[in-house]
Amino acid sequence: MRDAYIRFFNEGYISKENFFNFGLKETIYAPYDKAEIEWNLLKNRIYGNEKVFIRGFGRDANGTHLFQALYKKLLSNHNVRKDSTNNAEPAKLIRSLTGYSKTQSSKFESIRNYQISHIFGRTKNVFAFTAPWNIVYMPKMLDPFTGHEAKREMIDEYTLLFQRQGYHRFEKLIDEFNEIMINPNFKEKVNEVLYSFHSNETYSIKELKKLEEAINKEFSPITL
């Protein structure tokens, strides 16, 4: 049994630097070769109108249909689904790629006091939510330093270290994601779809404003 808390206290870390180093050292990533294969499979599913997933959007996920409608027009994918628990598919993926499981299983090595984290967020972006380069196991005690509620200088310091480590590990794959996001044709198509939504009385101005704000964040390239 691999337990992050026990491993932390056995190390005897105290200082901020050592605490940060522990978090970075104990972050569990997918092996690069497996991540590359899965990344290519994900892109094929997206462009092939196969089932893919995003996290729910809006309060009680009641705005998820907006992103689903967007992907239908933007990528001709009619099979974008909301993740059943907002983390089920990432959990399944990181388990299969790393061989570690948070639940007891005869197929995987058990781990405790680790949690699944998206390094770069963008969980409503269909290219990022189940991207193997974006999903890790990390010690739970580091959650206050990476969660979206986290604030202040120390938080920013660790987040940057955390994201830099992830980027350096998967640089080629993340650069491919960025190329998709900054492609002029892709960006133009996003704007065209949004314009068409404004002409559709199905969507309220308030809904579309929230969607546009989310798109600006979700479809931004990863830069450090």
Side-chain angles (χ1 to χ4, degrees):
M1 172 72 71
R2 180 167 173 159
D3 188 315
Y5 285 4
I6 292 174
R7 292 171 70 86
F8 173 77
F9 289 118
N10 283 346
E11 294 283 353
Y13 288 128
I14 298 176
S15 70
K16 180 192 74 173
E17 289 74 18
N18 286 337
F19 184 59
F20 282 4
N21 286 337
F22 172 81
L24 296 171
K25 185 180 73 171
E26 286 299 319
T27 299
I28 301 172
Y29 299 87
Y32 183 89
D33 57 343
K34 292 183 178 181
E36 184 174 33
I37 291 170
E38 183 56 42
W39 169 234
N40 288 326
L41 290 173
L42 173 61
K43 289 184 291 182
N44 289 339
R45 290 196 299 274
I46 292 170
Y47 292 125
N49 192 28
E50 297 180 42
K51 184 166 62 175
V52 287
F53 297 87
I54 57 172
R55 185 169 284 175
F57 173 56
R59 189 186 183 105
D60 298 322
N62 58 15
T64 309
H65 67 284
L66 294 168
F67 269 99
Q68 291 170 318
L70 172 74
Y71 290 126
K72 286 179 183 178
K73 290 180 174 290
L74 178 64
L75 300 169
S76 298
N77 191 310
H78 296 247
N79 292 295
V80 176
R81 310 289 175 82
K82 177 198 169 295
D83 187 284
S84 59
T85 68
N86 275 339
N87 230 21
E89 294 303 318
K92 186 190 304 181
L93 178 65
I94 194 67
R95 184 171 60 238
S96 67
L97 294 180
T98 64
Y100 288 113
S101 175
K102 292 172 60 180
T103 57
Q104 291 289 337
S105 170
S106 59
K107 293 175 58 179
F108 305 103
E109 181 178 346
S110 296
I111 55 175
R112 181 180 296 164
N113 291 320
Y114 285 82
Q115 68 178 37
I116 296 164
S117 178
H118 285 82
I119 305 173
F120 305 102
R122 295 166 174 78
T123 54
K124 271 70 73 180
N125 186 317
V126 75
F127 289 96
F129 179 60
T130 55
W133 46 260
N134 196 24
I135 305 167
V136 296
Y137 284 122
M138 62 177 292
K140 276 189 176 181
M141 68 276 280
L142 271 298
D143 178 60
F145 293 85
T146 59
H148 63 273
E149 305 91 349
K151 306 292 180 188
R152 304 197 179 203
E153 291 180 6
M154 192 181 295
I155 308 304
D156 294 339
E157 182 181 350
Y158 185 76
T159 298
L160 182 58
L161 293 171
F162 178 58
Q163 292 184 342
R164 277 179 176 168
Q165 180 169 276
Y167 177 78
H168 290 150
R169 185 174 289 261
F170 297 115
E171 182 175 355
K172 177 178 177 289
L173 309 185
I174 295 171
D175 284 349
E176 290 177 3
F177 167 83
N178 284 343
E179 288 171 7
I180 296 170
M181 295 301 106
I182 66 174
N183 182 284
N185 292 331
F186 180 84
K187 295 174 72 173
E188 182 180 357
K189 188 68 179 292
V190 170
N191 290 331
E192 289 176 356
V193 174
L194 286 174
Y195 181 81
S196 72
F197 283 178
H198 280 285
S199 303
N200 188 333
E201 295 182 358
T202 303
Y203 309 115
S204 69
I205 294 176
K206 183 177 180 180
E207 281 182 317
L208 293 179
K209 182 179 179 181
K210 288 183 178 180
L211 177 62
E212 289 181 32
E213 290 174 352
I215 284 173
N216 288 334
K217 181 178 179 180
E218 297 288 329
F219 289 2
S220 64
I222 293 168
T223 57
L224 299 175

